[in-house]
């Protein structure tokens, strides 16, 4: 009985993963709008009802892809976060790991971006539906900050992880449009900008910059409210 109980969740996860991978392949081959849930179910070898049991819409499939990508990123970050204590190497390693996990999907990333860029789309990174993936991403940057030797104003420290996530979203946007071999220019962008971010963050504790930092914190909290 125990073996049967343990097998059912495993089978369920396999079916769910198969539907996601099939959907991603069809989105790439046929386009997002032209791919129906019926077509996804047929290609995956499951009934339409079974496909809808796992995913209520195509948007939920893409959200599942985002969630899986975020989980892959979290695992890829582990080595650098466990090894490094200085802020800049931690941030650099996390951003490079982000690109590493995205590169296999680069050829059809643009197809998804146009839907994610729509303010009312559930695929928008700021939407309620994207909340879990967004929270998981910000949590990684919070670990970057909290696990480092960085010494900055406590209030700025609290807001910095979300600012770093926004910075990473800018990197992702550049990556979507990067046509260089192996996304070389995106890696270069990360390597060149991380030292600048490190310097700006470090400067925030200097007497002449503290007032600016506090004003930035106030702006962030006002906009979020």
């Amino acid at each position: 009985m125990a073996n049967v109980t343990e097998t059912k969740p495993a089978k369920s996860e396999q079916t769910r993963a198969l539907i996601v991978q099939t959907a991603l392949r069809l989105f790439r081959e046929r386009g997002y709008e032209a791919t129906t849930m019926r077509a996804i179910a047929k290609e995956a070898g499951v009934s339409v009802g079974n496909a809808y049991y796992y995913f209520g819409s195509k948007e939920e499939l893409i959200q599942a892809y985002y969630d899986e990508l975020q989980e892959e990123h979290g695992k890829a970050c582990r080595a650098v976060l466990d090894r490094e204590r200085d802020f800049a190497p931690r941030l650099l390693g996390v951003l490079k790991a982000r690109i590493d996990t995205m590169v296999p999907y680069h050829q059809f990333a643009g197809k998804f971006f146009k839907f994610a860029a729509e303010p009312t789309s559930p695929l928008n990174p700021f939407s309620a539906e994207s909340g879990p993936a967004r929270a998981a991403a910000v949590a990684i940057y919070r670990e970057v900050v909290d696990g480092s030797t960085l010494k900055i104003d406590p209030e700025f420290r609290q807001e910095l992880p979300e600012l770093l996530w926004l910075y990473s979203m800018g990197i992702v946007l550049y990556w979507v449009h990067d046509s260089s071999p192996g996304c070389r220019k995106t890696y270069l962008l990360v390597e060149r900008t991380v030292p600048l971010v490190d310097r700006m963050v470090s400067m925030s504790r200097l007497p002449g910059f503290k007032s600016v930092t506090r004003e930035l914190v106030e702006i962030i909290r006002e906009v979020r409210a």
Side-chain angles (χ1 to χ4, degrees), residues 62-82:
I62 301 303
Q63 196 62 61
Y65 154 68
Y66 287 159
D67 292 342
E68 288 185 11
L69 196 61
Q70 184 58 48
E71 185 176 345
E72 287 179 28
H73 182 217
K75 292 176 181 176
C77 292
R78 223 34 295 141
V80 70
L81 291 177
D82 289 344

Side-chain angles (χ1 to χ4, degrees), residues 58-109:
K58 290 192 296 183
E59 287 80 7
E60 287 187 17
L61 276 163
I62 301 303
Q63 196 62 61
Y65 154 68
Y66 287 159
D67 292 342
E68 288 185 11
L69 196 61
Q70 184 58 48
E71 185 176 345
E72 287 179 28
H73 182 217
K75 292 176 181 176
C77 292
R78 223 34 295 141
V80 70
L81 291 177
D82 289 344
R83 182 180 69 251
E84 299 288 352
R85 284 294 168 263
D86 288 342
F87 173 71
R90 287 170 72 83
L91 180 59
L92 179 63
V94 165
L95 288 172
K96 281 188 171 181
R98 178 65 168 162
I99 303 168
D100 290 343
T101 56
M102 294 190 305
V103 163
Y105 306 99
H106 186 259
Q107 66 184 57
F108 59 99

Side-chain angles (χ1 to χ4, degrees), residues 32-51:
Y32 178 79
E33 292 173 314
T35 302
T36 64
M37 287 293 286
R38 183 174 295 278
I40 294 169
K42 182 178 179 181
E43 288 286 323
V46 302
S47 68
V48 177
N50 203 14

Side-chain angles (χ1 to χ4, degrees), residues 168-187:
S168 76
M169 292 301 293
I171 298 294
V172 171
L173 175 59
Y174 184 87
W175 168 80
V176 168
H177 298 281
D178 184 4
S179 59
S180 64
C183 300
R184 179 184 60 81
K185 289 185 178 180
T186 304
Y187 285 103

Side-chain angles (χ1 to χ4, degrees), residues 185-222:
K185 289 185 178 180
T186 304
Y187 285 103
L188 179 61
L189 179 65
V190 169
E191 289 168 1
R192 295 298 299 272
T193 56
V194 164
L196 292 176
V197 171
D198 182 38
R199 275 195 296 244
M200 288 189 289
V201 170
S202 297
M203 287 171 64
S204 70
R205 65 175 178 266
L206 299 177
F209 289 89
K210 282 186 178 179
S211 61
V212 176
T213 302
R214 286 171 184 165
E215 186 174 349
L216 175 60
V217 169
E218 287 179 11
I219 292 171
I220 294 169
R221 291 176 177 175
E222 284 178 12

Side-chain angles (χ1 to χ4, degrees), residues 94-149:
V94 165
L95 288 172
K96 281 188 171 181
R98 178 65 168 162
I99 303 168
D100 290 343
T101 56
M102 294 190 305
V103 163
Y105 306 99
H106 186 259
Q107 66 184 57
F108 59 99
K111 293 178 172 57
F112 296 155
F113 178 75
K114 66 178 181 180
F115 295 101
E118 172 60 45
T120 58
S121 171
L123 301 179
N124 187 305
F126 299 95
S127 70
E129 291 84 353
S130 296
R134 183 172 62 250
V138 173
I140 288 177
Y141 293 104
R142 188 167 301 283
E143 187 174 356
V144 168
V145 174
D146 291 346
S148 74
T149 57

